[in-house]
Amino acid sequence: MKRIKIDRTKCVGCLTCTTACIIAHDSREARSRITVDSNGSYAPIFCRHCDQPECVFTCMTGAMSKDYETGIVSYDKNRCASCYMCIMACPYGVLKADAKKQTEIMKCDMCISTSEGKPQCIAKCPMGALTLREVL
């Protein structure tokens, strides 16, 4: 299973990753799936696509699901009841309500829903601070 890793010694807080995310998913509305830690450095925090995802376990409708083959935790807006249990359950605080559509959740999907099919935050990071690494 692969996860996005950040080398905080290389990250300068430019937030190019968030812009790449916005463009990759919907360039008409500025909505990033990346959470930003604003405690001084403005560094991105990514969904960890957990092995035992609390967001999936607490989702009563099955809108949050884990593909154990790819390791990706995905969100199906058509099944979402907007209860926000997934947001409350995430131990990393990376899930958030969509500011434009309060009935939807914003989370990293590793860009599988885009034509690029690979995380654009990694592809566009000018400092090379983001990598996709295999984790055991």
Side-chain angles (χ1 to χ4, degrees), residues 63-74:
M64 300 295 285
S65 62
K66 170 96 176 168
D67 181 333
Y68 287 96
E69 188 173 311
T70 64
I72 295 174
V73 174
S74 58

Side-chain angles (χ1 to χ4, degrees), residues 45-79:
I45 305 171
F46 299 92
C47 176
R48 296 204 166 90
H49 299 277
C50 301
D51 294 330
Q52 303 293 321
E54 292 297 324
C55 60
V56 172
F57 298 145
T58 60
C59 182
M60 64 184 166
T61 63
M64 300 295 285
S65 62
K66 170 96 176 168
D67 181 333
Y68 287 96
E69 188 173 311
T70 64
I72 295 174
V73 174
S74 58
Y75 166 71
D76 180 352
K77 67 181 178 183
N78 297 317
R79 297 184 73 175

Side-chain angles (χ1 to χ4, degrees), residues 9-68:
T9 63
K10 291 181 180 178
C11 180
V12 295
C14 68
L15 302 181
T16 300
C17 54
T18 61
T19 303
C21 180
I22 292 166
I23 292 169
H25 290 89
D26 189 352
S27 60
R28 291 171 285 143
E29 297 179 26
R31 299 176 310 174
S32 175
R33 288 160 168 72
I34 300 171
T35 300
V36 178
D37 176 10
S38 58
N39 290 334
S41 64
Y42 294 100
I45 305 171
F46 299 92
C47 176
R48 296 204 166 90
H49 299 277
C50 301
D51 294 330
Q52 303 293 321
E54 292 297 324
C55 60
V56 172
F57 298 145
T58 60
C59 182
M60 64 184 166
T61 63
M64 300 295 285
S65 62
K66 170 96 176 168
D67 181 333
Y68 287 96

Side-chain angles (χ1 to χ4, degrees), residues 104-128:
E104 293 181 18
I105 305 299
M106 300 289 291
K107 75 167 294 305
C108 171
D109 63 358
M110 300 288 266
C111 292
I112 58 169
S113 65
T114 65
S115 61
E116 294 87 1
K118 61 182 178 182
Q120 289 302 290
C121 55
I122 295 169
K124 305 296 187 210
C125 179
M127 302 307 292

